[in-house]
Amino acid sequence: MICRQPSPARLAALALALPAAVGNALAQQQVVITGSTVERAVEEAPYAITVVDRDTLRTAGPMVNASEALQRVPGLVANNRGNYAQDLQISARGFGARASFGVRGLRLYADGIPAAGPDGQGQVSHFDLAGAERIEVLRGPFSVLYGNSSGGVIALVGAPVRQPGWEVGLDAGSFGLRQARVSGAAVLGQGLDLRASASQMTIDGFRPQSGARKTQAGARLGWQGTRDQVVVLLNHLDQPADDPLGLTRDQFALGPEQTAPQAIDFDTRKQLSQTQLGVAWTHRFDDSALRELKLAAYTGERGVTQWLAIPAGAQGNPRHGGGLIDFDRRYGGVDLRSRWAVGSADVVLGIAADRQRDDRRGYENFTGTAPDQVFGVTGALRRDETNTASTRDVYAQAEWPLAAHWTLSGGLRHGRVALESRDAYLANGDDSGDLDFRYTSPVLGLRWQAMPGLNVHLSVGRGFESPTLNELAYRADGTGGFNDALKAQTSRQVELGAKWRAPGVALDAALFEARTDDELGVATNAGGRSSFQNVGRTLRRGVELGLGLQPTPAWNARVAASWLDATYRDDFLTCAGIPCAAPSVTVPAGNRIAGTPRESLFAELAWQGGAWGEPAVEWRATGTVAVNDRNTDFAPGYGTLALRWSKAYALGAGLRAEWLLRVDNLGDRHYAGSVIVNDANGRYFEPGAPRSVLLALRLSGAL
């Protein structure tokens, strides 16, 4: 099914008509967030922000992938590739859509610890969804408390220890999904508490060469004193996964169970391991202009080995880095901020520093000579370099109550991003290089309480996005080496929004525009190698609507609708393959930015039936998506239906049981769950999962 494009006027009419139809609803509970200088309710924030709560996380799926619940956020695209070797595909307002793996264009945080590196590349694979209190999603660069990004922030907030207890969970589902999870929380006395969890998931996948295993463990140790709070976080992730690759148009047409033959021939796969430690200390002052001081620091190690589908002949190029990626990363950072009361204003001042070091190697993915070559193994060394990225930032943000119903907020962040590569494999020349970027990002927001329950805001901000180390790894002309021709992209963004809270109604609406200079785009993408270029100016305009309705105590409905027009404003040259020594294909101004759906919709209707638990129906629809900048092919739009049914039981003696039954893609729709932008081999399409069933059982008790 191809979704028809809703106009902004139709979305606005929907925003007005639906709440007006509800008269006898119950009061909505406000959710406190941390997107500004002080904690506040969602409706008081002068920017678009959505909170996905704990109950939603627990009923959206097996709590393996953040995309399960993030589909409910307007303006956010969160696609599950069905490929654990490449992580999720997440973009906000079209920023980050070009990423062939990982998350790009957004800042990511888990309990205040960055999950995105100083160069802007990040992952959400280690998010502990089962232990989360909520996930906050801020769209746009409208807070200077965060750094290098254009699209906004995704922040997971862990659940505090409210009372001692334990939980055991077992999940079973289609395509060989099996998961076991255990967690516990204890109060150790004298303000000290501990929460720990461990889980293991295995899945065969619905495509050949798409199996994965995910082992995760974490602990949170907290201490609360009279004026001080200390939190120590430790987590570990081990995730080996096969890579089924993308499909060509002809392969995709055959059905979702297809896998590219190259995935089997080269045994494409990835091994990932990550361990991270973080600590945060907060001290609160009484009767002082200095209200709060907070210091957060973290360190970690991440190791990745990935076998790619690159033929031996292509690796014969002396400038080629091989068909196997192997790197060991050490990273860390610190953030010191203080909060002040200056007259009637709340002011935050801070400094932050982050650094990562990658010891990166490349190997041939074969041994022997034709016709006796063996592929998918570790062969001869072809690349050996050290890559570093570091940031240094200072920032200030303040909020002033101008009058009874007016609040002004503003901030400024100034920073430096340094990227460097030092080549130790000199047999094919010295590919060392470095780039240094400095930026200043101002934001300004104005909130007006037009009437009780209705807040209107206007925000403007400047986004900054440096190239990542991966985007700098290869020149666009196919000659290899550090791509020192890349420039950072900058954007000027404006947002007009309204938030209405009334009995039984929660409405959030936003209109936005983002004008970007020196947009970073994919030059070519083949064999696991992506090269990038600056493609000029782009324009993104859109409308977002989030609506929650509870007309009676039993019925609950939610809608998240988005319309996005993301286009290039300048002509630029691109190529369709590697090498790309003579770009000859023109991408005309007005083409859609690849990877961005023009429209998307999520709708949910749930009934809380007491003894029946909570049955619900969910609908997700997405419009067509251009798979390349030339717009010569599109992933078709689609709509999928899901059913869920959950029920909790009190068993006595402090025990509680809960089960969840889900059927996703009820109609067994064949669709492209995500696309690989500008893939030079034409393998653009990553199929979405066929009809699948999940049964989750959870047993918990008090200690």
Side-chain angles (χ1 to χ4, degrees):
M1 186 190 96
I2 298 178
C3 301
R4 299 186 180 277
Q5 175 181 329
S7 67
R10 290 177 64 188
L11 286 175
L14 178 64
L16 294 174
L18 285 177
V22 180
N24 61 340
L26 301 178
Q28 293 285 324
Q29 180 183 4
Q30 293 184 342
V31 181
V32 176
I33 62 161
T34 55
S36 58
T37 58
V38 295
E39 291 186 344
R40 62 178 65 256
V42 170
E43 59 269 25
E44 296 176 353
Y47 39 72
I49 187 165
T50 300
V51 173
V52 180
D53 61 28
R54 182 175 181 270
D55 290 340
T56 300
L57 292 171
R58 292 177 67 86
T59 58
M63 294 184 285
V64 174
N65 298 300
S67 58
E68 299 164 12
L70 292 182
Q71 297 173 0
R72 295 158 169 78
V73 179
L76 191 76
V77 174
N79 293 326
N80 183 351
R81 299 175 179 271
N83 183 348
Y84 287 86
Q86 303 294 351
D87 210 336
L88 304 179
Q89 187 180 67
I90 301 178
S91 63
R93 296 179 173 178
F95 290 102
R98 69 177 182 271
S100 55
F101 65 92
V103 181
R104 187 72 180 91
L106 294 109
R107 295 295 295 173
L108 308 172
Y109 290 86
D111 279 318
I113 304 301
D119 65 344
Q121 184 82 35
Q123 299 83 24
V124 296
S125 53
H126 68 288
F127 275 17
D128 180 15
L129 302 176
E133 178 77 6
R134 63 188 185 273
I135 297 179
E136 305 167 2
V137 182
L138 185 157
R139 279 99 67 200
F142 301 120
S143 175
V144 301
L145 303 182
Y146 315 98
N148 185 6
S149 73
S150 300
V153 178
I154 298 177
L156 179 142
V157 180
V161 178
R162 293 190 174 91
Q163 63 180 24
W166 56 270
E167 181 177 271
V168 175
L170 297 173
D171 300 332
S174 302
F175 320 122
L177 172 65
R178 300 292 185 271
Q179 181 173 226
R181 183 174 51 250
V182 61
S183 62
V187 176
L188 306 179
Q190 300 298 320
L192 195 65
D193 59 67
L194 174 67
R195 176 169 54 84
S197 63
S199 65
Q200 184 173 78
M201 182 276 299
T202 60
I203 189 169
D204 298 329
F206 62 91
R207 304 168 62 192
Q209 196 69 16
S210 63
R213 184 181 75 248
K214 183 176 183 179
T215 303
Q216 193 168 2
R220 178 189 186 276
L221 181 66
W223 176 75
Q224 180 70 59
T226 304
R227 296 184 181 180
D228 296 273
Q229 181 184 42
V230 178
V231 176
V232 180
L233 301 163
L234 176 66
N235 62 68
H236 175 76
L237 170 69
D238 182 75
Q239 184 175 298
D242 293 330
D243 186 352
L245 304 179
L247 301 177
T248 65
R249 166 62 72 176
D250 291 341
Q251 291 168 341
F252 174 70
L254 295 176
E257 297 85 2
Q258 307 304 309
T259 291
Q262 293 85 349
I264 307 299
D265 296 342
F266 290 90
D267 192 14
T268 49
R269 62 197 188 278
K270 178 180 179 180
Q271 294 179 351
L272 163 66
S273 177
Q274 177 174 299
T275 302
Q276 183 171 278
L277 173 68
V279 60
W281 166 65
T282 303
H283 180 79
R284 294 176 177 84
F285 298 85
D286 295 331
D287 301 324
S288 170
L290 176 59
R291 295 297 176 87
E292 186 177 273
L293 188 66
K294 184 173 183 178
L295 175 65
Y298 70 98
T299 184
E301 294 182 349
R302 181 179 178 89
V304 172
T305 305
Q306 186 166 13
W307 287 262
L308 307 172
I310 301 179
Q315 297 176 60
N317 184 334
R319 305 294 296 179
H320 204 284
L324 187 154
I325 297 171
D326 181 48
F327 72 81
D328 296 304
R329 174 175 299 163
R330 298 175 180 85
Y331 59 92
V334 62
D335 190 315
L336 175 64
R337 67 178 59 173
S338 59
R339 184 169 67 86
W340 302 74
V342 181
S344 59
D346 286 305
V347 180
V348 168
L349 304 175
I351 58 174
D354 300 276
R355 178 180 171 81
Q356 74 178 60
R357 173 192 167 108
D358 296 355
D359 294 321
R360 183 177 292 266
R361 297 161 298 277
Y363 299 90
E364 295 176 346
N365 63 352
F366 65 92
T367 58
T369 58
D372 300 319
Q373 288 175 328
V374 178
F375 295 96
V377 296
T378 303
L381 181 70
R382 296 295 301 272
R383 182 182 183 188
D384 185 6
E385 62 192 39
T386 300
N387 301 325
T388 59
S390 62
T391 60
R392 302 289 186 272
D393 295 80
V394 295
Y395 57 90
Q397 184 162 308
E399 298 184 9
W400 300 270
L402 298 180
H405 302 293
W406 294 85
T407 301
L408 179 67
S409 63
L412 191 70
R413 190 179 187 102
H414 177 74
R416 172 178 178 262
V417 181
L419 305 166
E420 181 182 74
S421 179
R422 287 293 167 257
D423 190 5
Y425 184 82
L426 303 179
N428 59 358
D430 189 351
D431 289 329
S432 301
D434 61 84
L435 285 173
D436 192 280
F437 302 99
R438 298 179 186 273
Y439 70 96
T440 301
S441 297
V443 299
L444 188 66
L446 182 64
R447 178 174 63 88
W448 171 44
Q449 186 180 13
M451 58 185 294
L454 175 62
N455 288 288
V456 179
H457 71 264
L458 176 66
S459 298
V460 294
R462 186 174 188 265
F464 169 87
E465 193 173 323
S466 73
T468 68
L469 289 171
N470 285 315
E471 291 168 349
L472 292 167
Y474 307 102
R475 298 190 183 99
D477 59 7
T479 61
F482 192 82
N483 190 356
D484 55 9
L486 285 183
K487 297 180 286 185
Q489 71 175 43
T490 58
S491 60
R492 303 173 302 282
Q493 303 190 34
V494 60
E495 173 183 292
L496 176 64
K499 301 176 183 181
W500 182 25
R501 301 295 185 268
V505 180
L507 170 67
D508 293 61
L511 294 88
F512 66 89
E513 179 180 278
R515 295 177 179 268
T516 303
D517 295 325
D518 298 317
E519 176 92 22
L520 288 160
V522 178
T524 190
N525 188 343
R529 305 299 198 201
S530 299
S531 60
F532 294 83
Q533 61 180 337
N534 295 102
V535 299
R537 299 175 300 163
T538 59
L539 176 64
R540 295 169 172 86
R541 289 174 173 164
V543 182
E544 299 166 355
L545 171 69
L547 177 65
L549 295 174
Q550 192 176 7
T552 72
W555 290 96
N556 192 353
R558 286 189 287 185
V559 175
S562 306
W563 177 83
L564 172 68
D565 183 32
T567 57
Y568 296 106
R569 298 180 63 203
D570 292 323
D571 298 344
F572 63 93
L573 297 175
T574 189
C575 62
I578 291 178
C580 187
S584 58
V585 180
T586 299
V587 175
N591 270 22
R592 287 169 58 178
I593 296 176
T596 59
R598 184 159 287 174
E599 52 272 323
S600 60
L601 173 70
F602 177 87
E604 174 186 80
L605 181 63
W607 178 61
Q608 296 175 335
W612 287 91
E614 184 184 79
V617 59
E618 303 170 3
W619 173 259
R620 184 193 179 196
T622 298
T624 60
V625 177
V627 300
N628 57 26
D629 292 329
R630 292 173 292 150
N631 291 184
T632 58
D633 201 356
F634 291 80
Y638 65 90
T640 60
L641 186 69
L643 300 178
R644 75 167 194 264
W645 188 9
S646 60
K647 180 76 168 73
Y649 302 87
L651 302 179
L655 294 178
R656 185 175 185 269
E658 178 184 356
W659 56 262
L660 167 69
L661 176 65
R662 285 189 63 93
V663 182
D664 287 285
N665 193 5
L666 183 67
D668 204 22
R669 175 81 60 167
H670 176 35
Y671 66 98
S674 60
V675 300
I676 302 173
V677 172
N678 287 344
D679 187 87
N681 298 299
R683 295 196 292 261
Y684 303 116
F685 304 95
E686 295 181 293
R691 182 190 299 114
S692 60
V693 178
L694 169 71
L695 176 62
L697 303 174
R698 297 151 192 171
L699 180 66
S700 59
L703 292 177

